[in-house]
């Protein structure tokens, strides 16, 4: 979670500006969302941390992240301190997060938390269902994607930068498994909102993606009179 002091634009009708940034794992949505939030002076929320933290709470208990009853209880007990845990990244956390995210009761428990975060000041939120479920009326909706091979390459570099030994084939397999879980779940499956702008980041660096996204946001605000 973060905030800034830059432009602080408002959408038309004085509604808080909400920017939804969705997409699969390792597509670059988190980096993009943080930079947009800083440039626009908005708070930022990585909503994936909510599900990762719920998954971690279950793993701490030695429980199965697919246990719907326990997962809902942990989601309702979630605190901001849980979001600052240092162990919310990595394959184990990835799969636990994907498992709890498929549970409708968990998503319902966390829905108002996410909406409340942006209610007063607006926000940039990144996740997998921001533009489709959490904020279907978001001012701007972006869907950030890349090929599975490119996303696996980025994840491998990220893991190695943290000193985690990783096999390229295994990382790609994990990316594909996470994609399948997220896209095929019954509750809020991963997909672009009908009115989202899709950004394919394959072959683009973070600066190029940010420049394109910021131009889209400013163009949308100008058209809306914001």
């Amino acid at each position: 979670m973060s905030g800034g002091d830059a432009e602080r634009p408002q959408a038309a009708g004085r509604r808080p500006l909400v920017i939804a940034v969705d997409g699969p794992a390792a597509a670059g949505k988190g980096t993009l969302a943080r930079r947009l939030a800083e440039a626009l002076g908005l708070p930022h929320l990585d909503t994936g941390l909510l599900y990762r933290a719920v998954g971690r709470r279950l793993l701490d208990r030695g429980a199965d992240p697919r246990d719907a009853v326990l997962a809902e209880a942990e989601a309702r007990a979630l605190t901001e301190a849980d979001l600052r845990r240092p162990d919310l990244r990595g394959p184990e956390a990835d799969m636990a997060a994907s498992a709890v995210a498929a549970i409708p009761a968990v998503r319902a428990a966390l829905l108002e938390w996410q909406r409340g975060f942006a209610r007063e000041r607006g926000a940039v939120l990144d996740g997998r269902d921001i533009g489709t479920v959490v904020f279907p009326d978001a001012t701007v909706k972006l869907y950030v994607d890349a090929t599975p091979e490119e996303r696996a390459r980025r994840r491998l570099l990220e893991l190695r930068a943290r000193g985690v030994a990783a096999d390229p084939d295994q990382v790609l397999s994990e990316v594909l498994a996470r994609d399948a879980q997220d896209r095929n779940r019954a509750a809020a499956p991963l997909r672009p909102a009908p009115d989202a702008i899709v950004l394919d980041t394959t072959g683009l660096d973070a600066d190029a993606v940010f420049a394109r996204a910021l131009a889209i946001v400013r163009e949308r605000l100008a058209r809306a009179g914001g």
Side-chain angles (χ1 to χ4, degrees):
M1 295 178 292
S2 63
D5 298 306
E7 298 176 22
R8 292 201 186 285
Q10 289 289 322
R14 312 302 295 178
R15 288 190 301 117
L17 172 60
V18 175
I19 299 174
V21 183
D22 290 309
K29 62 183 181 295
T31 298
L32 174 60
R34 285 190 295 272
R35 293 185 67 175
L36 285 174
E38 181 179 0
L40 298 168
L42 293 170
H44 166 246
L45 177 63
D46 174 357
T47 65
L49 289 179
L50 302 175
Y51 297 97
R52 290 172 179 274
V54 172
R56 270 296 170 198
R57 289 177 64 105
L58 287 160
L59 293 174
D60 288 348
R61 294 179 56 172
D64 186 343
R66 295 170 294 182
D67 186 317
V69 174
L70 289 179
E72 180 183 5
E74 295 298 345
R76 296 194 181 281
L78 198 68
T79 69
E80 289 197 18
D82 288 314
L83 306 185
R84 295 190 290 271
R85 290 180 56 150
D87 57 354
L88 299 183
R89 303 289 180 185
E92 186 179 42
D94 289 350
M95 297 310 291
S98 190
V100 301
I103 300 170
V106 171
R107 306 195 74 87
L110 298 177
L111 182 60
E112 186 55 32
W113 203 103
Q114 296 171 75
R115 288 177 173 168
F117 181 83
R119 185 168 291 128
E120 297 299 324
R121 298 176 53 203
V124 181
L125 301 95
D126 66 89
R128 287 170 172 75
D129 67 342
I130 308 305
T132 55
V133 175
V134 181
F135 282 101
D137 59 347
T139 316
V140 182
K141 300 178 187 179
L142 303 173
Y143 187 88
V144 183
D145 206 352
T147 64
E149 292 76 15
E150 172 62 15
R151 291 186 285 117
R153 184 188 70 82
R154 294 173 186 173
R155 179 54 56 84
L156 184 65
L157 291 176
E158 176 187 312
L159 291 170
R160 288 177 173 172
R162 299 206 310 264
V164 178
D167 174 72
D169 290 338
Q170 180 64 27
V171 172
L172 177 58
S173 176
E174 289 166 355
V175 165
L176 292 171
R178 180 71 190 271
D179 286 354
Q181 275 194 308
D182 290 344
R183 288 174 173 146
N184 297 323
R185 67 191 180 208
L190 172 65
R191 59 182 174 81
D195 54 345
I197 296 174
V198 177
L199 292 177
D200 187 339
T201 67
T202 307
L204 298 178
D205 63 21
D207 289 341
V209 175
F210 171 67
R212 287 191 186 183
L214 187 59
I216 289 168
V217 171
R218 287 175 169 159
E219 189 272 336
R220 284 291 180 93
L221 291 175
R223 280 197 297 165

